[in-house]
């Protein structure tokens, strides 16, 4: 065995990907980075504000302070604060002398509305986890495994070709068999390509993904309506007139008709309202961007894997409308690029392919590795000329 053949075998052995032991499912990212950011902000931010509201309530005591008459005892003043906070109704006298009632319940419901908002924003995440993740994880495991296996099969094929070339006494017979194998498409492994082509006709993943983002937009719009309709109406009202003349106190003459109270937690209420509106306003363009990503293909990822035999979705123009499951899978393959060991190797081969002189003879990784192993990717010209001379 010559030194050149030994070096070629070592080079091809090093190019083989190692077999990965253990489950790959633990390392898979089943949520896109943008979706994770939206989840943490949309769910975590109202929970943070809720904890802030509860902390203020526990640290400051009563969220209101009522100006009770001076003849009221301490227990009576505490009763006024408790009664006015329970009712939380503002009595306002109109021009005709009639009292109008205005409820201030958004102040009392603030922590619970934030909890309800966080739960609503988590519903799209649950939908994705239960409706899409099981099928997506199996698809990613199969595709990642097949991409790496297809690369390894190509390298092993070049190793086999190198051994046959070494054992063949007549180079013409070897090149005739090689051209026949290429003509009959023996080097191609079309299972993965056909599987991905089938995913173009499937729409379950993309429908779930669109529904997830649509629900986020719907709940964000509902948040705007809630803040605008309920919070804006009481946003600047710091004081209100409270009536405690009810029940046994209805006929008590020493009890005033109205008692002025002040909302000590108004600043927290205003901060929560403004910050919620600002944060969810910033989230809307990010959610819309998630929609726009489904309108175009990630052709860079596909172009790298065009180096594999029978993986010519781009060159054969098999890509149609991008709104299908295949496009969603490509987005998650891009997010799990660290799990694709073959991607780095094929990226390097693509760069070398673009810089090599014999570009017209190199189509796949088999052709390129054949060239690196010391074999011509096609029949040498002197053998072609020799064959023409023997068979004029």
């Amino acid at each position: 065995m010559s030194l050149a053949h030994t070096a070629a075998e070592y080079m091809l052995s090093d190019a083989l990907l190692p077999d990965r032991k253990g489950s790959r499912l633990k390392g898979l990212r089943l949520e896109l980075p943008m979706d994770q950011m939206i989840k943490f902000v949309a769910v975590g931010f109202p929970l943070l504000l809720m904890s802030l509201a509860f902390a203020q309530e526990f640290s400051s005591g009563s969220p209101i302070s009522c100006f009770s008459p001076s003849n009221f005892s301490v227990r009576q003043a505490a009763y006024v604060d408790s009664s006015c906070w329970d009712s939380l109704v503002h009595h306002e006298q109109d021009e005709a002398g009639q009292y109008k009632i205005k409820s201030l319940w958004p102040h009392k419901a603030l922590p619970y509305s934030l909890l309800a908002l966080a739960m609503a924003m988590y519903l799209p995440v649950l939908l994705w986890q239960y409706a899409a993740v099981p099928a997506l994880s199996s698809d990613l495991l199969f595709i990642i495994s097949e991409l790496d296996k297809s690369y390894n099969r190509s390298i092993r094929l070049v190793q086999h070709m190198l051994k046959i070339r070494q054992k063949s006494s007549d180079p013409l017979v070897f090149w005739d068999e090689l051209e026949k194998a290429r003509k009959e498409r023996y080097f191609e492994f079309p299972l993965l390509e056909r599987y991905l082509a089938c995913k173009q006709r499937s729409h379950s993943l993309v429908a779930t993904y669109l529904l997830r983002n649509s629900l986020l937009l719907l709940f964000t719009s509902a948040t705007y309506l809630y803040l605008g309709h309920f919070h804006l109406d009481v946003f600047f009202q710091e004081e209100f007139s409270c009536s405690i003349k009810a029940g046994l106190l209805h006929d008590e003459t020493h009890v005033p008709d109205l008692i002025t109270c002040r909302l000590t937690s108004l600043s927290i209420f205003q901060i929560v309202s403004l910050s919620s509106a600002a944060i969810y306003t910033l989230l809307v363009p990010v959610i819309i961007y998630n929609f726009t990503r489904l309108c175009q293909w990630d052709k860079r990822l596909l172009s790298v894997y065009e180096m594999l035999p029978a993986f010519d979705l781009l060159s054969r123009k098999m890509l149609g409308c991008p709104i299908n499951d295949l496009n969603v899978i490509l987005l998650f393959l891009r997010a799990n690029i660290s799990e694709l060991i073959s991607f780095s190797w094929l990226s390097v081969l693509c760069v070398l392919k673009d810089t090599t002189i014999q570009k017209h003879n190199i189509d796949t990784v088999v052709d390129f590795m054949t060239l690196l192993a010391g074999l011509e990717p096609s029949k040498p010209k002197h053998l072609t000329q020799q064959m023409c001379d023997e068979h004029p």
Side-chain angles (χ1 to χ4, degrees), residues 25 34 43 54 59 100 138 145 155 222 249 260 315 328 349 369:
L25 186 59
M34 199 71 70
V43 178
F54 276 125
S59 62
K100 295 189 302 181
S138 61
S145 176
I155 301 300
L249 299 178
T260 303
S315 60
V328 177
L349 293 180
M369 297 307 290

Side-chain angles (χ1 to χ4, degrees), residues 12 155-166 174:
L12 292 174
I155 301 300
R156 290 193 179 100
L157 181 60
V158 179
Q159 288 179 325
H160 183 66
M161 290 167 54
L162 185 62
K163 291 179 181 179
I164 294 178
R165 178 66 183 87
Q166 292 173 5
F174 169 75

Side-chain angles (χ1 to χ4, degrees), residues 29-31 128 136 328-336:
R29 303 180 67 173
L30 299 174
E31 272 192 309
W128 179 256
L136 177 64
V328 177
I329 290 174
L330 291 178
L331 290 176
F332 279 90
L333 284 177
R334 172 65 67 181
N336 290 278

Side-chain angles (χ1 to χ4, degrees), residues 128 131-132 135 139 199 201-211 324-325 328:
W128 179 256
D139 286 338
K199 284 299 175 180
R201 298 187 291 271
S202 176
H203 298 86
S204 58
L205 285 177
V206 70
T208 307
Y209 191 74
L210 290 174
L211 180 59
N324 51 52
D325 286 356
V328 177

Side-chain angles (χ1 to χ4, degrees), residues 16-311:
L16 283 173
L17 303 179
D19 294 332
R20 297 191 59 174
K21 297 180 180 180
S23 176
R24 283 188 171 185
L25 186 59
K26 295 180 180 180
L28 284 182
R29 303 180 67 173
L30 299 174
E31 272 192 309
L32 298 176
M34 199 71 70
D35 293 328
Q36 285 184 329
M37 185 270 291
I38 293 175
K39 179 184 70 174
F40 289 141
V41 174
V43 178
F45 188 72
L47 292 178
L48 177 64
L49 294 180
M50 182 187 70
S51 62
L52 175 64
F54 276 125
Q56 190 273 340
E57 182 176 345
F58 291 144
S59 62
S60 302
S62 177
I64 65 173
S65 176
C66 295
F67 302 98
S68 303
S70 57
N71 59 344
F72 274 33
S73 64
V74 175
R75 296 184 61 183
Q76 288 175 326
Y79 170 78
V80 171
D81 288 350
S82 176
S83 177
C84 289
W85 176 248
D86 289 339
S87 63
L88 208 60
V89 173
H90 174 54
H91 296 75
E92 185 178 6
Q93 192 172 18
D94 58 11
E95 296 178 356
Q98 301 294 328
Y99 284 102
K100 295 189 302 181
I101 296 177
K102 178 182 178 181
S103 177
L104 305 177
W105 67 268
H107 288 276
K108 187 187 296 185
L110 180 63
Y112 310 102
S113 61
L114 290 172
L115 178 61
L117 176 60
M119 294 174 62
M121 289 297 180
Y122 194 67
L123 289 178
V125 179
L126 290 178
L127 171 70
W128 179 256
Q129 289 291 332
Y130 287 100
V133 164
L136 177 64
S137 59
S138 61
D139 286 338
L140 289 177
L141 286 175
F142 172 75
I143 293 172
I144 290 174
S145 176
E146 281 300 311
L147 287 174
D148 290 346
K149 287 179 180 178
S150 297
Y151 171 82
N152 271 353
R153 282 194 293 261
S154 300
I155 301 300
R156 290 193 179 100
L157 181 60
V158 179
Q159 288 179 325
H160 183 66
M161 290 167 54
L162 185 62
K163 291 179 181 179
I164 294 178
R165 178 66 183 87
Q166 292 173 5
K167 296 177 182 179
S168 176
S169 57
D170 187 358
L172 288 175
V173 175
F174 169 75
W175 287 111
D176 288 340
E177 290 295 327
L178 184 59
E179 290 184 355
K180 180 181 178 181
R182 283 178 173 163
K183 185 177 180 181
E184 298 295 333
R185 300 169 68 92
Y186 292 156
F187 296 164
E188 298 184 359
F189 314 100
L191 173 63
L192 180 59
E193 183 186 82
R194 292 178 182 177
Y195 182 77
L196 295 179
C198 289
K199 284 299 175 180
Q200 286 195 87
R201 298 187 291 271
S202 176
H203 298 86
S204 58
L205 285 177
V206 70
T208 307
Y209 191 74
L210 290 174
L211 180 59
R212 172 182 179 168
N213 288 279
S214 299
L215 287 176
L216 286 173
L217 285 179
L218 177 63
F219 293 147
T220 302
S221 302
T223 303
Y224 290 150
L225 290 176
Y226 174 79
L227 292 175
H229 187 268
F230 295 106
H231 281 217
L232 189 61
D233 191 37
V234 297
F235 189 78
F236 297 102
Q237 186 158 357
E238 185 177 8
E239 295 184 353
F240 67 98
S241 299
C242 172
S243 174
I244 61 172
K245 296 192 69 174
L248 296 176
L249 299 178
H250 185 269
D251 297 326
E252 295 291 333
T253 56
H254 67 282
V255 176
D257 293 335
L258 296 175
I259 296 178
T260 303
C261 297
R262 185 173 66 88
L263 291 165
T264 58
S265 60
L266 180 65
S267 58
I268 298 296
F269 182 83
Q270 292 174 337
I271 292 174
V272 168
S273 301
L274 289 176
S275 57
S276 298
I279 289 297
Y280 286 106
T281 300
L282 294 176
L283 281 183
V284 170
V286 182
I287 299 174
I288 295 176
Y289 173 72
N290 279 345
F291 283 107
T292 59
R293 283 194 299 179
L294 296 176
C295 298
Q296 57 184 357
W297 293 100
D298 186 2
K299 293 186 177 181
R300 182 177 176 272
L301 181 67
L302 290 176
S303 63
V304 170
Y305 279 96
E306 288 273 306
M307 290 284 288
L308 293 179
F311 196 90

